[in-house]
Each structure stands twice: as structure tokens, then as C-alpha cells.
Amino acid sequence: MAARGHVQDPNDRRLRPIYDYLDNGNNKMAIQQADKLLKKHKDLHCAKVLKAIGLQRTGKQDEAYALAQEVAALEPTDDNSLQALTILYREMHRPELVTKLYEAAVKKVPNSEEYHSHLFMAYARVGEYKKMQQAGMALYKIVPKNPYYFWSVMSLIMQSISAQDENLSKTMFLPLAERMVEKMVKEDKIEAEAEVELYYMILERLEKYKEALDVVRGKLGEKLTSELQSRENKCMAMYKKLCRWPECNALSRRLLLKNSDDWQFYITYFDSVFQLIDESWTPPPEEEHSLEGEVHYSIEQAVKFIEERITEESKSSRPLRGPYLAKLELIRRLRYRGCNDEYKLGDPEELMFQYFKKFGDKPCCFTDLKVFVDLLPSSQYTKFISQLLAVIPLSAATEGELALPSDIKALQQHLCVVQLSRLLGIYHAMEKKQKLAVVRELMLRYRHGLEFGKSCLKTELQFSDYYCLLAVHLLLDLWLEGEETAVWQCLTLLEEGLSHSPSNAQFKLLLIRIYCRLGAFEPVAELYSSLDAKHIQHDTIGYLLTRYAEALGHYAAASQSCNFALRFFHSNQKDTSEYIIQAYKYGAFEKIPEFIAFRNRLNSSLHFAQVRTERMLLDLLLEANISTSLEESIKSMSLSPEEDDIPWNDLRDNRDLTVLFNWDPKDRDISEEHKKLSLEEETMWLRIRSLTLRLVSGLPTLSHTIQPKNSEKTAENGVSSKIDTIRSLLQQLEVAVDSGKKFLEQKIQYPVLGPPPTRMAGFFSNGSCQCQTSLFYLVSDIYELDTNGLEDSAEIQERIGNSFKSLVERLTDLFNKCKGDLIEVRDGTLKTHPSLLENLVFFVETISIALWVSSYCDSVLRPFKSNLQKKKKKKKESSLAMPPVFTHFLDYVTELQTLTSNVIDHIKGLEIILTALKLEELSLKDTLLLEEEKKFTKTVQGKVQSSYHHSVQEIGELLKKRLDTIKKLKI
């Protein structure tokens, strides 16, 4: 210790064991150790805070908070206590308390650079930009370092970004920031690249593009070195804003001479050439063409320039794709403009053929050519494909056998042609028999290609995987045309593919989609977890999981999948604050607005809102009035019928709907229109679900003791306003349902690999919607009976009686729509009926809502009954007639009990049938199946059977618990 030149603080030594216990997750020991230490040293504030951290982590939040506030009230200034409190408040998700902590510390130690910078970062965590600006300047006064000054400038920019009034942003915040930087420029104090970036950012936001250009081209611009071509890119952006096309053209031409493979500059080059042609621009006679040098302003010059690039490329040591694709891009633009000059560049078909010969063995060849296939006339498609096939070196072992590639290069070339055939619609136009023959051929090629990947690691993909995927796409076409066996063959081939290429995400994603379409969720959970989705993917592909888990009766898996997604969304808040702080520390100022936009985009994510809503409904379904009361469940979720926390106007659809590879022609592919309609449908369904949740959360608020009729206190005690809330929500639900029905009248069909449709259609068609709405209307009637009393309410009682009757009828209808075989064997083929499963799930949800409403009825009728009985005893009359509402309610509860018992019996029957299904005895009539394929088919069918069995079990278990709660409803 002595050798290190400083004496260790004895308190550090005393606290060390507590830190160790906390780091190792041994929170109980940490609390005990802290208590021991506090007995000896009562004034050791840090020990108290560390104890609070232990309490927080063992779930004793209130005690932890009380202890922390005790220490915070003393306004500590020792580093240990401040750091520990910061950690604690972060774990409590209370970053605003950290700011108060450091505000106090800075007052006591006004010249501490460390505390001032901690205060700045604390403000950054909560987005207090005005205070950040002040803290930055205070820091700069204590320690005049450039970064602190520019922290303050950046905080001004953040005020301008977050200002609601754009005018204020442009007239106050940004000009002030500009003046602050100009002061540093005049004093020649600009040191770092980040400071120049910041100056550029301010000028750009002020739309002072000319000044921004001067900064980048001037002496300050020399500091822009960290990114490749940073200066040139910024100049290009400013030239575009200023519509200085000659400079745009000359700069992109110059950059292409340096690197003729940089695609972004080809695009700028073509844009600028055509802009100059449209403006009939000519170079000034005496002077230079432009600031950036020579300008091309005619089609002839552009054609010559591209030809020169191709000539240059042929001398290059490695082949470059840019110049060849640029030629095709130029042809496309000329054709679009109706120019007749494209002949100067050659025939697109021939150019694409030459491109294929040069780059056909690269996996990117298909995606490169995909963009340009619309240059081919449709009459030439077959000829073009035959021409490509003719140059691939394939060899057949014997006459009449399939000609196969002898190396990986030939395989890649052939794969490229097969992908193009699919894209050009050649496979779509085939008859069923031809399609099946192509599937066989592709699978033969797939299995032959596996030989080239024998040395591949498990994490690598096989070279021939795309053959298998393309075969599956063809089978999906057949399935949509009504060929039932095709879907089983899809699953068989994909499972086989996955066994050879266990890391292929495309196989997994396609399996997930198909299993879900068949109503089997069990295999999906495992497939999704093996995808190992990270971070943002929970938002972009999480919908594949959350859309089906609950809908197919896998409640436990649904809970888990919602938790995965919610954990990501909640941690995003905390993480983004840390990214912003790092960006300030390292001067990456241009990233700060990006991080904030990223956080906002996630907060207003459609998927986030859906998962939140469905998770709460699911928790109520599984727990309310089973393990805890409805009131407690709603309280623990902090739910309130008045509050709506979904940003309806800013909802962002972050789903990645193109995550599955697709080789369909444009007319069959997912269009922008499909995406727009899907978002509309998802939003409507979310509105219905959100209103249902809020209506349910309003039930416990009504169960207060109500003042008798004509009492003045009714409005005061808040309950009457609660019923108004319920009635207003009901009206909103009616409107949402109507717009949902109108939407479904369009009968939209998404592509098979497009966005999955919502559960809305089933919700309307099976009668759940009408049932649930009538239940909420019943609440309103019961409330009326409660306020009016039993005496003069014969009409209300009759209305309630009729509601009970019609509800039982509707629930019985809904049950009838759940009847039927979930899996049936027809002509040796398996057929699943997922809609029956979805109907069962809706039935369970509706019966649960019916029970929550019934327990509200029960809470209203019980006091009435006991009052009547007291009256009977007083008057000693046995003949006092019971009001009809009691018998109506008792009959209703009895019928509910009988109906639920019947459904449970039906489910038991389904379980027996599913267990008895002997799938291995299925004669798979498709004799095309090879022995190894039959093995995978059995696996697939077994997985589907097991999944249905699991679903039925979970639904049955939940219904049994609900039946127990019905039995308690006897008044």
C-alpha cells in the first residue's frame, strides 16, 4: 500500500465486503454486513445506501427508498455515498433524484469539476436541456476546457430540437448557439473535429447552407478526418441543398475517378447530369466550369464517361461491379425519360447476360440484376433464362440424368438463374405437375450441393440452402391453390434443411410462419429462441411470436414472449440515456439527436403498445379472481379507465415485413399498400383491445357503497363520474368495432409471407365481440339498479333479466363455433382447424369477462338481499316476495356453470381424440417422398399434434379455475 504513494481511506476498507456481496448477488449478506457496520459507525452514510441497494434488490422498495431519502436529506458530499445513491436511484428508475443530489453537492463544493460534470450528466439523463446549458457554462468557468463549452452549445441545439415552436427554435436557440461557436472561431480556439461538426450542424439546421459549405471547404474543414470522404459528403449535401448541380456533378465525377465502385456517387452523377440537361446549362466561356472542376452536361458525355469507367475496370486487378451496373442504371433513366439514346449503350438483355458471365458466381449477382429485370420485355424472359443456363458448366453422369454443377462457382451461377426464373414469374405460370417436377429437381440439386459444404461449421450456411427455400416457395403456391398435402411437404423440407444448416434463420422464420398458420405454436417458441433475437429485433420481428402465442392457447409461452419484448422496451429508456452521456463525453454530438429520435421511435412503437395491452389482458385472464382479486390485479398494474397511454397519433410500425426472403414478381410481392393496410388493421385491433382493458379496469371502481337515490353526494364521491367514464368508453368501443367491421368488408388478402392478419375477423365472426359488448352494457344497467334501489325498478330488473338470457344464448352460440375436430385425417392427409382453437381462446376470454361482470352484480345484489332478509325478520312476514332480479341472476349463474362444465367436457373429449390420433399410420399418399423425408414428415406431424394437445390442456386448466370461481357466485 505504502509503495503506491497514497493512504487508503479506512472507510473504503470497511465498505469493501459489502460491495463484494452486492457484486456477487448475495444481497442478504450485504444487508447484514451493513447493519453490523452501522452499529459501530452510525455516521457512515455510504453503508446506509449500500444497505438500501440490498433492500431494493430483495424487493423491499419502500424501505430502500426511505433509507436513501434519509441519507439524501443530509446532502452528502463524499464520493462513495454519491456514487452509491446514483446506482440506487438508477435501479429504482428515478433518475430525477440524482439531479437533486448533485445540485446539493455542487452548492456545498462549488469548485468541484467532478461534481459539476456529474450534475451535467444527471440532467442529460432526464433531458433537462436548459439546466444542462447552464451546468455546461458553470463547468467552463471553473475549468475552461473546450468540451465543456461545447456541451453547453449542444444543449442549446437540444432545446431547439425539443421546442414545440419551430419559430422559437430558429429565432432564439440556434442563433445563440451559432454566436457562441463564432466567438470561439474568432478567438481561434476551435481544437477538435467534433467542434467543427457541431458548427456545421447548427448552420445546417438554420438552413445557412452557403455558410456551412464555406466552413467545410475552408480551414476548419481540414479537421474533418475521422470518416472517409467526410468533407466531400458534406460538400455534396450542401451543393444539393443549394441546387448547385455543376458542383454536384464535378465532385461526383472526381470521386468516381478515384473509386469507380462507389454507387452513391453514380446516383448523384446521373441526377446532376439530367438536372443540367433540363436547365440547358452550358459552361461559362472563359472561366472554370465550377468550383469542383470539369462538368458533364450532356447524355453523350455521360455515356462516354461510363464507357471509360468500364474500360478502366477491365485493367483493374479485381473485378468491380459498379461501372457495369451504372450502364444499366443509365439505360433505365434514359428509357424513363423517353430518350432514344439508349441504343448508344447497347441492348440491356445482352448487357445483363455479360454481367452474369462476369459475376454470376457471386451471391450478389441476383440482387444486382433484380433491380433491372423490368428492362427486359416479358416475351424475352424464357429466352433470357435459356441463354444464361447455356453458359453454366453442368455435367450429367449418364444420359438422361440431371446435369449437376461440379464446383461451388457453377452451383452459385445455377442458383442465380433459378432465383431469376422465380422473379420473372416463369414458375408461377406452370401447371401443378410441372411445379411438382421442379420441386423434385430443386431438392435433388439441394442434396447434391450438400457435398460442397461437408466441411462447413454448424454456424455456417450450406451453399445450396436456397434450392430448398425455393422448393418450399413453390409448394406454398400449390398450398394456396388448394393442395393440402403441399404444406406438410413444406414443413418436411424445411425441417430437413434445418438439420443440415442449423443456423439458417430463413428456414426458422419460414417454419415459424407455417406452423403458426397451421395453429401449432409449441415448435415456434423453440425456433424463435434459437434465432437468438437481439435488442432491436424484439421490436422488428417480435410480432411473429406475440401475434400467435395467446391466440393459439399457449398462455405460459405468451407471458414469456411478452416479457422478452417488454424487458427490451423498458431497458431502452435507461440504455439510451447512457448512449447520450457517452456521446457527450466523446464529442459525438451529431449522434445525440439520432439517439433521441431512436428512443422516441421505440416509445411510440406499435408493437410496444400491443404487447403492453395484451400482457395486461393476459395477466387478468390468468390471475384476476383466481389467485388475486380483480381489484388487486388492476391496482398492481396501475391501471385506470380514464388514462390512455398509447400515442395514437404517433404510432410507428417498426415491424420488418420483408425479413423473409422473397423471389416473387412485383405483382405478387408485399406492396406499400399492404403495409399501410396492415398498420391500419393493427391499430384498429389495438384500439378494441385497449378499450376492453380499460372497461375491465373500470369494474372495481364501481363497487363502492353507493348513496341512495336523490342524494346530493353522488357526484362528490366520484362514483357517478366513474360510470360516465365506463359509458363513454363503451361508446368509443362501439365506434372502434364499427370501423373494424367496415375495414374487414374490403376482404383484404395479404401475400402468404406478408404481414399476418390480426385476430379481429375471428373476434367478430364467432360472436365474442357482441358478447363482450353486451356484458359492458349490463354493467351500466346494474349500476342503474344500484342507484335506484329495488322498489320502483321493475323495468330495469326486466331489462337485466333479458340481458342475462341473451348472454347465455350468445355464449352457447360461441361454444357451438368451437365444436369440431381440431385435426382431422381426410383421404390419408392431415388437415388442421386453427380457427376452432382461436374460437376456444376467445370463449375463455369472454367467459372470464362474464365472471368479472357477474362478481360486480354479486357485490350489488348481496347487500340488497341481506337488507330484505332483515326487513323480513322485523316484520315476521315469510311471504315478502323476492324481486325477480335475484332469480334471474341465480338462473344465469347456474346456466354459466352448466355451460362451462360442458365446454370442459368437450375439451376433455378433444384431448382424448388428439391422444388417440395415430399419425404414423397415415399412408402418405405422395409416393414422391423419399425415406429420409418420411422421417421428417413424422417429426413435423408429431410436433403439430403435440402442440394442439398442449393448447387444449392449457385452455382446459384455465377453464377449470374459472369454473371454481363461478361456484362461489351464489348470493
Side-chain angles (χ1 to χ4, degrees):
M1 282 288 168
R4 284 162 71 183
H6 68 84
V7 181
Q8 191 186 15
D9 179 358
N11 282 341
D12 283 359
R13 197 180 64 250
R14 291 175 188 133
L15 295 167
R16 173 59 39 213
I18 311 179
Y19 282 118
D20 290 342
Y21 283 131
L22 287 172
D23 288 344
N24 299 328
N26 195 342
N27 300 313
K28 283 184 180 167
M29 282 303 293
I31 296 168
Q32 283 175 18
Q33 189 69 30
D35 281 334
K36 269 187 206 168
L37 194 54
L38 285 166
K39 276 179 189 167
K40 291 181 190 169
H41 307 275
K42 283 181 182 166
D43 298 334
L44 194 50
H45 304 320
C46 186
K48 267 188 192 175
V49 185
L50 294 178
K51 179 184 173 181
I53 293 177
L55 290 167
Q56 168 73 15
R57 290 178 184 176
T58 47
K60 296 174 182 168
Q61 282 88 347
D62 296 343
E63 285 179 54
Y65 180 68
L67 253 183
Q69 291 313 85
E70 215 177 283
V71 177
L74 300 169
E75 300 184 347
T77 54
D78 65 296
D79 214 26
N80 285 338
S81 301
L82 290 170
Q83 292 289 351
L85 276 167
T86 305
I87 292 168
L88 176 63
Y89 289 149
R90 238 188 265 172
E91 286 185 16
M92 288 178 164
H93 305 295
R94 298 286 301 273
E96 70 283 356
L97 296 174
V98 182
T99 57
K100 294 193 176 102
L101 202 60
Y102 279 103
E103 279 166 3
V106 162
K107 273 182 193 162
K108 286 189 172 179
V109 192
N111 288 335
S112 163
E113 178 185 0
E114 188 186 350
Y115 290 169
H116 271 284
S117 67
H118 278 310
L119 178 62
F120 180 88
M121 295 311 175
Y123 287 141
R125 278 196 182 90
V126 290
E128 292 256 15
Y129 304 124
K130 178 101 181 81
K131 289 183 176 173
M132 284 163 73
Q133 180 203 340
Q134 293 160 351
M137 281 318 286
L139 246 174
Y140 183 67
K141 281 173 188 164
I142 299 168
V143 189
K145 290 181 184 171
N146 268 22
Y148 297 150
Y149 187 85
F150 284 94
W151 283 5
S152 188
V153 175
M154 185 63 214
S155 305
L156 270 170
I157 297 179
M158 290 315 299
Q159 284 178 70
S160 89
I161 291 173
S162 60
Q164 300 296 320
D165 179 3
E166 200 177 322
N167 194 25
L168 185 70
S169 155
K170 287 201 170 157
T171 53
M172 188 171 114
F173 297 124
L174 288 171
L176 179 55
E178 184 191 11
R179 284 200 299 278
M180 283 178 75
V181 182
E182 276 173 354
K183 178 174 176 283
M184 296 297 266
V185 173
K186 279 175 190 157
E187 293 171 10
D188 199 18
K189 284 185 181 171
I190 298 279
E191 296 167 357
E193 180 180 3
E195 295 158 14
V196 182
E197 290 268 12
L198 194 57
Y199 192 17
Y200 173 80
M201 189 155 107
I202 295 167
L203 294 170
E204 192 182 13
R205 286 179 182 273
L206 278 168
E207 294 173 17
K208 293 188 173 182
Y209 303 129
K210 170 84 179 64
E211 289 83 343
L213 187 63
D214 294 342
V215 167
V216 179
R217 284 180 61 89
K219 189 173 164 228
L220 287 175
E222 290 167 13
K223 293 187 188 294
L224 299 171
T225 53
S226 68
E227 275 181 47
L228 203 62
Q229 295 170 335
S230 172
R231 257 180 117 171
E232 288 85 345
N233 285 329
K234 284 183 167 57
C235 282
M236 191 78 85
M238 291 304 102
Y239 288 142
K240 281 181 187 169
K241 295 273 190 195
L242 292 163
C243 295
R244 287 171 61 169
W245 300 112
E247 277 79 6
C248 262
N249 180 278
L251 180 56
S252 52
R253 189 190 70 82
R254 207 175 73 224
L255 289 165
L256 284 170
L257 289 173
K258 269 193 205 168
N259 174 10
S260 59
D261 211 27
D262 199 327
W263 187 249
Q264 60 170 336
F265 297 128
Y266 279 114
I267 299 299
T268 315
Y269 176 76
F270 291 140
D271 286 345
S272 57
V273 167
F274 288 118
Q275 285 283 354
L276 293 170
I277 291 170
D278 292 342
E279 291 170 11
S280 314
W281 185 87
T282 50
E286 298 297 314
E287 306 153 35
E288 263 203 56
H289 282 197
S290 74
L291 277 176
E292 298 286 352
E294 190 192 332
V295 176
H296 288 173
Y297 52 94
S298 70
I299 290 171
E300 286 72 20
Q301 284 172 309
V303 170
K304 183 168 174 266
F305 179 67
I306 297 299
E307 292 291 5
E308 282 169 4
R309 298 287 59 71
I310 290 177
T311 315
E312 283 289 313
E313 191 279 334
S314 58
K315 298 173 193 167
S316 154
S317 57
R318 69 183 183 90
L320 303 175
R321 291 144 53 214
Y324 298 96
L325 293 171
K327 201 172 192 179
L328 286 163
E329 175 66 21
L330 186 52
I331 291 176
R332 190 170 68 174
R333 289 187 179 222
L334 289 169
R335 190 175 286 189
Y336 178 72
R337 291 169 66 90
C339 301
N340 295 325
D341 296 290
E342 62 172 272
Y343 66 89
K344 296 174 184 169
L345 286 146
D347 172 31
E349 189 182 337
E350 180 55 29
L351 290 172
M352 285 161 86
F353 175 60
Q354 293 303 331
Y355 186 84
F356 176 78
K357 275 166 70 174
K358 201 167 175 65
F359 299 103
D361 58 344
K362 303 278 184 288
C364 59
C365 181
F366 168 73
T367 40
D368 288 346
L369 292 178
K370 180 182 180 179
V371 188
F372 301 108
V373 286
D374 49 356
L375 294 176
L376 297 173
S378 53
S379 55
Q380 297 291 315
Y381 288 170
T382 322
K383 175 179 160 261
F384 176 62
I385 293 292
S386 309
Q387 195 183 358
L388 296 184
L389 280 171
V391 293
I392 304 175
L394 300 176
S395 53
T398 57
E399 191 74 24
E401 268 195 26
L402 193 61
L404 295 164
S406 54
D407 59 10
I408 296 168
K409 279 192 170 184
L411 181 135
Q412 283 289 6
Q413 284 177 309
H414 189 268
L415 249 180
C416 180
V417 178
V418 175
Q419 292 175 75
L420 282 167
S421 307
R422 173 92 184 160
L423 180 70
L424 297 172
I426 292 172
Y427 291 158
H428 294 89
M430 290 178 173
E431 296 290 308
K432 179 185 157 185
K433 264 190 173 172
Q434 286 173 295
K435 280 185 183 170
L436 281 170
V438 173
V439 169
R440 280 281 132 245
E441 184 199 320
L442 290 174
M443 285 314 288
L444 275 169
R445 291 188 178 283
Y446 165 68
R447 292 187 185 110
H448 167 258
L450 291 174
E451 289 175 17
F452 301 123
K454 278 181 179 167
S455 60
C456 285
L457 299 172
K458 271 192 171 179
T459 48
E460 293 177 315
L461 306 188
Q462 289 291 335
F463 297 106
S464 58
D465 277 353
Y466 279 8
Y467 280 129
C468 183
L469 273 177
L470 283 152
V472 170
H473 278 239
L474 271 166
L475 287 167
L476 281 174
D477 293 347
L478 287 170
W479 182 44
L480 291 180
E481 287 160 22
E483 186 60 39
E484 201 54 52
T485 48
V487 71
W488 297 101
Q489 225 173 323
C490 283
L491 291 171
T492 300
L493 300 185
L494 286 169
E495 288 281 5
E496 181 187 343
L498 198 57
S499 71
H500 296 298
S501 196
S503 294
N504 191 320
Q506 286 300 318
F507 287 159
K508 292 175 188 177
L509 289 165
L510 205 44
L511 276 167
I512 287 175
R513 285 303 299 268
I514 298 172
Y515 275 128
C516 285
R517 281 285 291 254
L518 292 176
F521 187 79
E522 199 172 44
V524 169
E526 194 184 329
L527 283 163
Y528 187 84
S529 73
S530 73
L531 276 170
D532 200 15
K534 294 272 196 299
H535 199 68
I536 191 73
Q537 288 171 317
H538 288 302
D539 192 18
T540 55
I541 60 171
Y543 71 94
L544 294 170
L545 203 59
T546 49
R547 155 67 184 86
Y548 289 102
E550 186 191 351
L552 297 172
H554 282 258
Y555 297 119
S559 262
Q560 205 178 0
S561 56
C562 288
N563 284 347
F564 276 145
L566 289 174
R567 204 174 300 141
F568 159 65
F569 285 114
H570 292 316
S571 69
N572 151 55
Q573 279 294 353
K574 201 167 72 187
D575 295 349
T576 317
S577 303
E578 296 311 311
Y579 305 152
I580 291 167
I581 284 169
Q582 294 307 316
Y584 271 107
K585 276 186 184 167
Y586 297 107
F589 296 122
E590 76 279 12
K591 293 292 168 214
I592 294 171
E594 289 177 30
F595 286 139
I596 287 175
F598 173 72
R599 176 166 70 193
N600 296 342
R601 183 167 173 175
L602 281 178
N603 286 343
S604 45
S605 155
L606 166 77
H607 184 57
F608 181 28
Q610 286 171 323
V611 171
R612 251 189 353 238
T613 308
E614 290 297 345
R615 174 64 215 262
M616 290 194 269
L617 277 167
L618 182 63
D619 281 353
L620 291 178
L621 191 64
L622 299 177
E623 291 164 15
N625 287 358
I626 294 176
S627 52
T628 55
S629 71
L630 179 63
E631 190 166 359
E632 282 167 12
S633 300
I634 284 165
K635 196 176 167 189
S636 70
M637 294 177 195
S638 319
L639 263 176
S640 143
E642 294 86 3
E643 283 172 25
D644 183 6
D645 61 350
I646 296 174
W648 294 106
N649 298 328
D650 302 319
L651 277 182
R652 292 291 298 266
D653 186 0
N654 297 332
R655 294 173 301 164
D656 183 354
L657 297 173
T658 52
V659 67
L660 286 152
F661 286 169
N662 205 339
W663 297 274
D664 286 343
K666 259 191 190 149
D667 57 330
R668 286 168 170 265
D669 206 357
I670 303 165
S671 64
E672 284 308 311
E673 183 63 15
H674 285 135
K675 291 179 186 176
K676 194 171 124 256
L677 288 166
S678 172
L679 172 60
E680 203 181 319
E681 183 182 346
E682 294 284 355
T683 310
M684 283 175 181
W685 178 234
L686 175 60
R687 202 177 282 278
I688 291 172
R689 300 298 279 169
S690 165
L691 287 166
T692 306
L693 177 65
R694 288 168 66 196
L695 279 161
V696 171
S697 73
L699 287 175
T701 61
L702 299 175
S703 308
H704 293 301
T705 47
I706 305 245
Q707 299 293 333
K709 191 178 166 189
N710 302 332
S711 159
E712 308 236 333
K713 289 188 185 167
T714 340
E716 283 171 33
N717 67 16
V719 177
S720 68
S721 60
K722 299 282 184 197
I723 193 70
D724 293 340
T725 306
I726 298 263
R727 285 171 182 155
S728 140
L729 289 174
L730 248 175
Q731 281 175 329
Q732 291 175 46
L733 182 62
E734 289 282 15
V735 173
V737 166
D738 283 344
S739 51
K741 284 178 177 165
K742 279 200 189 95
F743 179 87
L744 291 175
E745 280 166 15
Q746 301 173 60
K747 293 198 165 42
I748 294 150
Q749 281 291 319
Y750 300 113
V752 67
L753 300 176
T758 63
R759 299 164 65 196
M760 192 157 66
F763 183 62
F764 292 154
S765 64
N766 64 25
S768 305
C769 175
Q770 294 82 334
C771 271
Q772 293 186 14
T773 319
S774 335
L775 280 161
F776 294 123
Y777 275 115
L778 175 63
V779 172
S780 178
D781 286 344
I782 298 278
Y783 179 84
E784 213 174 310
L785 177 73
D786 201 3
T787 43
N788 288 351
L790 291 175
E791 281 75 36
D792 43 4
S793 58
E795 190 191 328
I796 302 174
Q797 291 191 41
E798 192 181 336
R799 204 161 65 220
I800 291 172
N802 291 338
S803 294
F804 284 148
K805 274 185 196 134
S806 76
L807 267 170
V808 172
E809 282 165 20
R810 280 184 171 156
L811 283 165
T812 312
D813 279 349
L814 175 51
F815 171 40
N816 289 334
K817 288 187 179 144
C818 304
K819 287 178 179 173
D821 288 331
L822 293 175
I823 302 180
E824 61 171 332
V825 179
R826 201 189 293 162
D827 310 331
T829 309
L830 218 55
K831 175 140 180 62
T832 61
H833 296 286
S835 61
L836 293 177
L837 203 51
E838 296 212 17
N839 287 352
L840 260 175
V841 171
F842 274 129
F843 177 85
V844 176
E845 187 180 294
T846 310
I847 205 93
S848 300
I849 294 175
L851 293 177
W852 297 327
V853 171
S854 303
S855 47
Y856 168 60
C857 299
D858 184 68
S859 71
V860 169
L861 295 178
R862 217 177 266 263
F864 279 144
K865 189 163 187 182
S866 60
N867 284 344
L868 279 173
Q869 282 166 339
K870 280 176 195 167
K871 278 183 190 174
K872 266 190 194 179
K873 280 180 187 170
K874 275 186 189 172
K875 296 188 178 179
K876 296 185 177 161
E877 285 181 39
S878 56
S879 61
L880 201 64
M882 271 292 182
V885 72
F886 293 111
T887 39
H888 292 321
F889 182 63
L890 281 173
D891 292 348
Y892 167 66
V893 171
T894 313
E895 283 173 318
L896 272 188
Q897 192 174 329
T898 314
L899 178 62
T900 312
S901 300
N902 290 345
V903 180
I904 292 171
D905 291 342
H906 170 67
I907 286 174
K908 278 180 192 157
L910 288 177
E911 277 191 56
I912 292 165
I913 294 168
L914 282 169
T915 315
L917 256 185
K918 294 279 186 283
L919 296 183
E920 49 276 13
E921 287 168 18
L922 272 180
S923 56
L924 294 163
K925 63 172 184 174
D926 185 357
T927 47
L928 287 170
L929 282 180
L930 308 172
E931 271 313 308
E932 59 197 282
E933 285 183 10
K934 284 182 181 167
K935 178 181 80 184
F936 288 109
T937 306
K938 279 181 185 170
T939 310
V940 163
Q941 293 180 336
K943 281 182 179 179
V944 172
Q945 182 186 13
S946 157
S947 175
Y948 267 89
H949 196 262
H950 188 123
S951 298
V952 168
Q953 269 181 328
E954 281 209 41
I955 295 169
E957 289 299 315
L958 185 52
L959 265 183
K960 280 177 197 160
K961 289 176 186 169
R962 287 283 163 221
L963 183 60
D964 293 340
T965 52
I966 301 179
K967 289 175 181 169
K968 295 173 191 163
L969 276 177
K970 305 285 187 204
I971 32 172

